[in-house]
Amino acid sequence: MYASISDVDEITGVSVDLSTLKKAQAVIETASGRPEELVTDTTDLIWLKKATAYQCAYMEEDPTSVFEQPNLESYSHGDDKMVVGDKPLWLAPMAQKAIGNLSWHRSRVVSSEPFNYRKELWRQDMQTAWMRDRWWNW
């Protein structure tokens, strides 16, 4: 388990039972994209503990409501217009924020450097010269 019952109480001030904690754990594993057995980084474990605690507090009133809620923004009966939202109602907003801090959800840019116009012109000139020399040798 990412968090214990005492962790949830310490982080959120909400007391939960083991059943709610297990359901929240399953939701967080699904939302993060990794089961608990595959997470080894300590920073990721801290974020997942917080996400689980937030999810427990979110689910405390009705632990099964996250499995039944539609993602509905508005519904009008006149022309049967239904607008579906883009927010996952099954996931607590703070848990979603914590999951966004996980190492495998971060950018994977290795390095980037600003565009150097003179270097690019030199590269194009060298390529053109090489192509002309090679082109005439055919």
Side-chain angles (χ1 to χ4, degrees):
M1 300 293 281
Y2 291 133
S4 64
I5 294 175
S6 61
D7 290 335
V8 174
D9 189 34
E10 181 182 318
I11 293 171
T12 64
V14 176
S15 58
V16 296
D17 59 348
L18 187 60
S19 174
T20 304
L21 182 64
K22 287 182 178 180
K23 289 174 188 171
Q25 170 86 17
V27 169
I28 295 301
E29 283 182 348
T30 303
S32 67
R34 296 228 175 130
E36 181 183 8
E37 300 83 31
L38 298 179
V39 181
T40 57
D41 185 38
T42 55
T43 306
D44 289 336
L45 288 171
I46 291 169
W47 284 116
L48 288 167
K49 177 171 73 171
K50 290 181 181 186
T52 305
Y54 298 142
Q55 187 67 27
C56 281
Y58 186 72
M59 294 173 61
E60 179 50 33
E61 277 190 41
D62 186 8
T64 60
S65 66
V66 297
F67 302 110
E68 299 168 357
Q69 287 180 339
N71 191 0
L72 199 61
E73 281 188 2
S74 67
Y75 176 76
S76 59
H77 186 66
D79 292 334
D80 289 338
K81 181 181 178 187
M82 183 168 55
V83 178
V84 178
D86 61 349
K87 291 186 251 176
L89 294 178
W90 51 271
L91 188 61
M94 290 294 289
Q96 187 174 11
K97 190 74 171 164
I99 287 172
N101 292 328
L102 296 172
S103 64
W104 59 88
H105 284 258
R106 291 188 203 127
S107 175
R108 288 178 171 61
V109 174
V110 176
S111 68
S112 64
E113 59 184 47
F115 182 73
N116 188 336
Y117 183 73
R118 290 184 182 186
K119 186 177 179 181
E120 179 61 21
L121 278 180
W122 178 84
R123 187 195 66 76
Q124 289 177 3
D125 289 343
M126 295 302 291
Q127 186 176 13
T128 303
W130 177 82
M131 287 175 67
R132 285 187 178 155
D133 288 344
R134 297 281 297 196
W135 191 267
W136 293 113
N137 287 339
W138 282 11

